[in-house]
Amino acid sequence: MADAFEEDAENTVSIGEYLQDLEEQELEADLVLGGDEGKECTYSKGYVKRQAIFSCLTCTPDGNAGVCTACSLSCHDGHEILELWTKRNFRCDCGNSKFGEFFCKLDASKDVENPKNSYNHNFKGSYCTCGRPYPDPDVEEQLENLQCCICEDWFHEEHLGLESTDMVPRDDKGEPQFEDLICQGCATVCSFLKLYPDSIFAPVQQQTAMNSSKDKEVVEDAPLTVGSSKELNNGSFETPATDNSLKEDCNGKAVLLGENAATNTILSKCNQIDDPTTKCVVGLNLLEAPISLEKSKSMFLSKDWRDALCRCPNCTEFYKQKGLAFLLEKEDTIAEYEKMAKQKRAQHEQEQSAELLNNLGHVEKMEVLTGIADLKDEIGTYLASFDPSKPVTSADVHKIFENLAQKRRRMT
């Protein structure tokens, strides 16, 4: 009997823990599925800006295909499925030529292939430059992976090419303090970002003094923001001395230049473009400017950094040529994806409630609404006097409904 009570005690949780667990599960579902209920194949929508994608190693062991949420549930139930989180501009492959004689149960009228889809080693279950799977069966404590917003691969912190994992922007509690990561491999093509003020880069805490002379040099050269160090050649994009004064951009607006921004000469030199009312924020024609191909450091970008990107014709064409046009699309960001997911979830809940009530008569409808209101009030009243640090037991739940029943008996 004593053992039974001990087992019950182990299975109890506090109100705070229970609510936090529910919130985390809801957030995780929003991030992964984007509010997709998994009822319809997304193929008919074309190349979706961003959606949850899965790889079926049972059907495509070479990892050269991806399927949507609905197909992963309906067509590949019981298969070896890899959850890839989200991919951009992807169209569901389920049932096309890569699956042999297997046909999609939800939409059989598909093209042979989707030529605009992009695949990497994630579709085979490998991640990072080390090529290890996740979770890694050979590691007891799983290391956190961070996703690059350009190639969409996942990386271990110690494989980002940083002097120390302490250079990953985090707060005192270890929570990430950046919106996007650009890995070391993609940082070269994105070296033009170093022409922008340091405000687009997430700040990191300065490292403490180190013992060796080599470490001292690292500290002295370490930028205040990861990724904003100079990487451009021919003296075109020199890194000036510290200058936090206000300067004017090509539109005559005041901007704050950090120590690693481009020189004043470069910023004040506006290119003549077809539309005289549109000025280049960068002040350079990136299509003609020499950009270094040297190995760069990984970059950590601050919140809403994409809003600062120049959208003049020259820069826009530059993004297209480099395969980076998606950086200007708000729908591409994880923040927007999560926002839309929450809106879909809320809308779905409202539709379900409305459908339920519409099938009831007026009297039944009022009884349901009154019952819901009474239940919410009773739970709120009970929890107001409840110690949130204490575990919730079945007796507590029974007490809530007992109080509610007594209330109704008094009313009748």
Side-chain angles (χ1 to χ4, degrees):
M1 182 67 69
D3 293 339
F5 282 119
E6 291 179 2
E7 184 177 351
D8 288 341
E10 291 178 358
N11 294 331
T12 57
V13 295
S14 68
I15 282 287
E17 292 172 339
Y18 178 71
L19 294 178
Q20 182 179 359
D21 183 57
L22 285 180
E23 184 177 354
E24 290 176 353
Q25 290 182 29
E26 180 182 354
L27 178 59
E28 183 178 358
D30 287 341
L31 286 173
V32 176
L33 301 180
D36 186 356
E37 299 176 21
K39 295 181 178 180
E40 298 180 357
C41 176
T42 61
Y43 179 82
S44 60
K45 298 180 180 179
Y47 293 88
V48 181
K49 293 289 186 181
R50 182 166 294 282
Q51 67 172 318
I53 293 297
F54 304 80
S55 176
C56 180
L57 295 183
T58 301
C59 297
T60 55
D62 293 335
N64 61 342
V67 301
C68 67
T69 300
C71 288
S72 71
L73 297 173
S74 300
C75 305
H76 302 272
D77 183 30
H79 295 189
E80 184 180 358
I81 297 291
L82 295 178
E83 181 183 297
L84 304 179
W85 201 25
T86 68
K87 296 294 181 183
R88 71 167 56 92
N89 297 329
F90 201 94
R91 196 175 196 182
C92 181
D93 286 320
C94 181
N96 65 16
S97 61
K98 297 180 179 180
F99 289 79
E101 298 180 357
F102 181 88
F103 290 95
C104 177
K105 299 177 182 179
L106 302 179
D107 188 349
S109 58
K110 295 184 177 180
D111 292 339
V112 177
E113 288 188 9
N114 297 314
K116 295 182 180 180
N117 282 355
S118 296
Y119 311 91
N120 59 15
H121 63 166
N122 295 169
F123 288 77
K124 298 181 181 180
S126 300
Y127 304 88
C128 188
T129 55
C130 62
R132 297 297 302 166
Y134 187 86
D136 193 334
D138 297 332
V139 177
E140 293 184 5
E141 184 177 354
Q142 300 297 326
L143 300 176
E144 183 178 2
N145 285 1
L146 303 176
Q147 188 183 38
C148 172
C149 68
I150 305 299
C151 66
E152 298 191 299
D153 195 2
W154 295 81
F155 298 87
H156 299 112
E157 292 183 8
E158 60 269 30
H159 296 157
L160 288 173
L162 305 175
E163 288 86 352
S164 168
T165 55
D166 292 336
M167 296 185 70
V168 177
R170 297 185 182 278
D171 60 17
D172 296 336
K173 296 181 180 180
E175 294 297 323
Q177 295 295 295
F178 58 93
E179 180 171 299
D180 284 321
L181 158 71
I182 298 179
C183 72
Q184 193 171 16
C186 295
T188 298
V189 72
C190 294
S191 59
F192 68 92
L193 292 176
K194 295 160 190 172
L195 293 173
Y196 288 87
D198 282 346
S199 58
I200 73 167
F201 297 97
V204 295
Q205 297 179 352
Q206 287 285 68
Q207 300 183 36
T208 56
M210 302 181 182
N211 296 328
S212 65
S213 59
K214 180 179 179 180
D215 288 338
K216 290 181 180 178
E217 293 177 359
V218 171
V219 174
E220 291 174 356
D221 293 337
L224 292 176
T225 52
V226 176
S228 58
S229 58
K230 55 181 180 296
E231 292 288 347
L232 306 178
N233 61 4
N234 296 336
S236 299
F237 304 156
E238 293 180 356
T239 301
T242 302
D243 182 5
N244 289 325
S245 59
L246 285 174
K247 305 295 181 183
E248 288 186 352
D249 64 9
C250 296
N251 295 316
K253 297 181 179 179
V255 293
L256 182 64
L257 304 183
E259 63 177 3
N260 292 310
T263 60
N264 299 339
T265 302
I266 295 298
L267 281 176
S268 62
K269 187 172 93 177
C270 294
N271 293 289
Q272 297 298 322
I273 54 181
D274 295 336
D275 184 0
T277 63
T278 304
K279 299 296 183 179
C280 178
V281 174
V282 176
L284 271 180
N285 186 346
L286 297 179
L287 295 171
E288 301 176 356
I291 298 181
S292 171
L293 296 180
E294 296 179 5
K295 198 171 185 179
S296 301
K297 295 180 180 179
S298 296
M299 300 178 181
F300 294 92
L301 290 308
S302 61
K303 183 179 179 181
D304 298 329
W305 67 277
R306 301 190 193 199
D307 293 343
L309 294 180
C310 180
R311 286 162 169 74
C312 77
N314 282 338
C315 287
T316 301
E317 180 61 28
F318 173 80
Y319 304 144
K320 290 181 180 178
Q321 291 186 14
K322 297 297 182 181
L324 301 173
F326 58 83
L327 290 178
L328 301 182
E329 299 171 355
K330 190 174 183 180
E331 298 86 351
D332 182 75
T333 66
I334 296 298
E336 184 67 15
Y337 179 78
E338 179 181 349
K339 177 183 176 182
M340 295 300 296
K342 291 182 178 179
Q343 291 178 354
K344 290 179 182 179
R345 183 177 297 276
Q347 181 180 358
H348 178 65
E349 291 176 350
Q350 291 178 356
E351 291 175 351
Q352 283 185 320
S353 300
E355 183 179 358
L356 173 63
L357 294 176
N358 289 336
N359 292 330
L360 300 176
H362 177 72
V363 176
E364 292 86 354
K365 185 183 300 184
M366 294 305 299
E367 288 179 348
V368 170
L369 294 175
T370 302
I372 293 175
D374 290 343
L375 180 60
K376 290 175 62 176
D377 291 341
E378 185 59 40
I379 293 176
T381 301
Y382 187 84
L383 295 182
S385 59
F386 194 85
D387 186 350
S389 63
K390 291 182 178 181
V392 177
T393 64
S394 59
D396 296 316
V397 177
H398 286 302
K399 182 63 176 176
I400 292 176
F401 284 96
E402 181 181 340
N403 293 343
L404 185 60
Q406 291 177 355
K407 179 180 178 180
R408 288 188 175 182
R409 283 196 295 268
R410 290 194 300 268
M411 293 178 63
T412 56

